[in-house]
């Protein structure tokens, strides 16, 4: 069973915009929340969100780090980010599965 | 509603203000919580490498650190009772530990890890939650942050229970571990008739009696087990508005003070809990 990717966004204060800080693989949103909170805990975030990558619609897929090429078997949900700065995944390019 | 609390509900700022028959059982309770947190963190740490996914291992590592942080916070409270928290943490023999008995043995694989996080961690959390509005101020001031962190532990446990229960070849193994942990976690919450616990409730130190805590605990974990179809397999059933455990709780040899029924942590585990290997590096 392959796990979907959840993108992680956070900010340190209400005045700051949310920014993308990384991603986690998780079977559901609850585990994604836990993994995000426990993985990206080096900063004192005031807010953190996780978003299923499959829910992100890139305006320009050719330029997006969230691009997920559609496939018949729906494995688009497990495609990794490019250069998202996540732990160990910052340089993972394109459609490498885990 | 009045603007001032009645005298009987005044806060206790220091342990020496507590009546003698309240101070002793409160110390017992705090020590049992601290020791259980310390050993739970150790057991989690044994499972953080080799976890099913990298994320699950990172989270388990963080949870282990949380538990040790909670233990340290809880041991520190005992300084107000005349104890030396450093001695409690680093100088006791295995037989003196009051950690929950089901953690005397290590966790059996990932099923054990998840059963412990759902059933043992949440039993401890349920006991801490009964202290959140305690009249003993030092305790009340420390509990909320701990409970906030435990929300993530519950989500972790629930998420992994769902995940394992959905895999047919793993489901029976998880159910077996849940069946092993549940009666011991329920028993650890204590007896309503324990005189010390009754005094703690009368004085407003603990919110309510163990049977009420068991009810809230079962409502929380029962919902997860029901959702995954495991409730019946572990002996849980809905009973009106609440839940009923159909198994027997074995109170033979039960000690209300230590919350144990005999047995002991082994010396090797106690040595790890004490930090024997790094004793020479301990800082004041």
């Amino acid at each position: 069973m392959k796990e979907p990717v959840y993108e992680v966004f956070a900010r340190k204060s209400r005045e700051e915009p949310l920014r993308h800080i990384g991603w986690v693989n998780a079977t559901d949103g609850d585990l994604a929340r836990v993994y995000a909170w426990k993985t990206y805990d080096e900063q004192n975030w005031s807010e953190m969100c996780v978003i299923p990558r499959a829910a992100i619609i890139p305006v320009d897929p050719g330029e997006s780090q969230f691009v997920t090429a559609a496939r018949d078997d729906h494995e688009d949900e497990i495609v990794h980010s490019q250069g998202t700065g996540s732990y160990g995944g910052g340089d993972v390019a394109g459609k490498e599965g885990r | 509603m009045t603007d001032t609390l009645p005298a009987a509900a005044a806060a206790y700022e220091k342990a020496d203000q507590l009546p003698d028959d309240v101070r002793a059982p409160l110390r017992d309770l705090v020590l049992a919580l601290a020791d259980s947190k310390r050993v739970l963190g150790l057991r989690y740490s044994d499972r953080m490498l080799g976890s099913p996914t990298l994320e699950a291992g990172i989270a388990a590592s963080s949870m282990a650190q949380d538990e040790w942080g909670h233990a340290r916070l809880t041991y520190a409270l005992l300084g107000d009772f005349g104890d030396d928290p450093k001695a409690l943490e680093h100088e006791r023999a295995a037989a003196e530990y009051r950690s929950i008995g089901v953690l005397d043995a290590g966790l059996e694989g990932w099923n054990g890890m998840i059963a412990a996080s759902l059933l043992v961690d949440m039993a401890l959390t349920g006991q801490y939650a009964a202290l959140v509005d305690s009249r003993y101020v030092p305790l009340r001031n420390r509990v909320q942050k701990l409970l906030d962190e435990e929300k993530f532990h519950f989500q972790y446990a629930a998420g992994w229970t769902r995940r394992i229960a959905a895999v047919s070849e793993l489901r029976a193994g998880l159910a077996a571990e849940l069946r092993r942990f549940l009666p011991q976690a329920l028993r650890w919450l204590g007896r309503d008739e324990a005189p010390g616990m009754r005094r703690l409730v009368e004085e407003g130190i603990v919110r309510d009696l163990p049977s009420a805590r068991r009810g809230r605990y079962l409502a929380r974990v029962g919902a997860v087990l029901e959702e995954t179809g495991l409730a019946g397999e572990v002996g849980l059933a809905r009973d009106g508005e609440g839940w009923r455990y159909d198994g027997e709780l074995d109170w033979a040899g039960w000690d209300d003070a230590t919350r144990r029924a005999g047995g002991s942590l082994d010396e090797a585990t106690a040595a790890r809990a004490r930090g024997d290997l790094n004793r020479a590096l301990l800082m004041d």
Side-chain angles (χ1 to χ4, degrees), chain A residues 26-42:
Chain A
T27 48
D28 60 30
D30 278 348
L31 279 177
R33 292 165 70 194
V34 180
Y35 293 166
W37 188 253
K38 295 298 190 185
T39 301
Y40 298 102
D41 64 350
E42 73 278 8

Side-chain angles (χ1 to χ4, degrees), chain B residues 130-203:
Chain B
L131 302 168
V132 78
D133 47 7
S134 176
R135 287 175 63 199
Y136 178 56
V137 175
L139 192 53
R140 185 173 73 206
N141 287 347
R142 285 164 172 77
V143 168
Q144 189 57 56
K145 181 175 184 297
L146 181 154
L147 293 176
D148 290 343
E149 292 177 353
E150 286 292 339
K151 290 175 186 170
F152 288 101
H153 295 206
F154 178 68
Q155 286 182 359
Y156 184 92
W160 269 102
T161 300
R162 285 194 291 269
R163 173 79 174 85
I164 298 172
V167 181
S168 57
E169 61 265 40
L170 301 178
R171 184 183 172 88
L174 176 62
E177 285 299 280
L178 292 167
R179 275 195 300 273
R180 189 167 71 84
F181 278 97
L182 183 57
Q184 298 209 51
L186 287 167
R187 184 180 64 172
W188 184 85
L189 288 168
R191 302 181 312 135
D192 282 3
E193 56 270 39
M197 180 54 68
R198 298 194 77 84
R199 286 291 294 128
L200 290 172
V201 174
E202 287 168 5
E203 284 294 322

Side-chain angles (χ1 to χ4, degrees), chain A residues 25 30 33 35 38 87 98, chain B residues 54-55 62 66 160 162:
Chain A
N25 284 98
D30 278 348
R33 292 165 70 194
Y35 293 166
K38 295 298 190 185
Y87 65 89
R98 297 190 73 180
Chain B
L54 180 59
E55 286 88 341
S62 177
D66 285 346
W160 269 102
R162 285 194 291 269

Side-chain angles (χ1 to χ4, degrees), chain B residues 179 182-183 186 231-232 234-237 244-251:
Chain B
R179 275 195 300 273
L182 183 57
L186 287 167
V234 302
L236 279 185
R244 181 184 70 245
Y245 175 61
D246 288 331
E248 290 289 324
L249 300 186
D250 181 6
W251 297 103

Side-chain angles (χ1 to χ4, degrees), chain B residues 12 26 32 40 43 52 60 62 64 85 101 105 113 116 121-122 144 148 154 166 178-179 199 205 210-211 221 228 255:
Chain B
Y12 293 111
L26 181 55
L40 181 61
R43 299 310 186 199
S62 177
M113 167 76 195
D121 208 346
M122 291 309 114
Q144 189 57 56
D148 290 343
F154 178 68
L178 292 167
R179 275 195 300 273
R199 286 291 294 128
I205 307 298
S211 57
V221 303
T228 52
D255 182 335

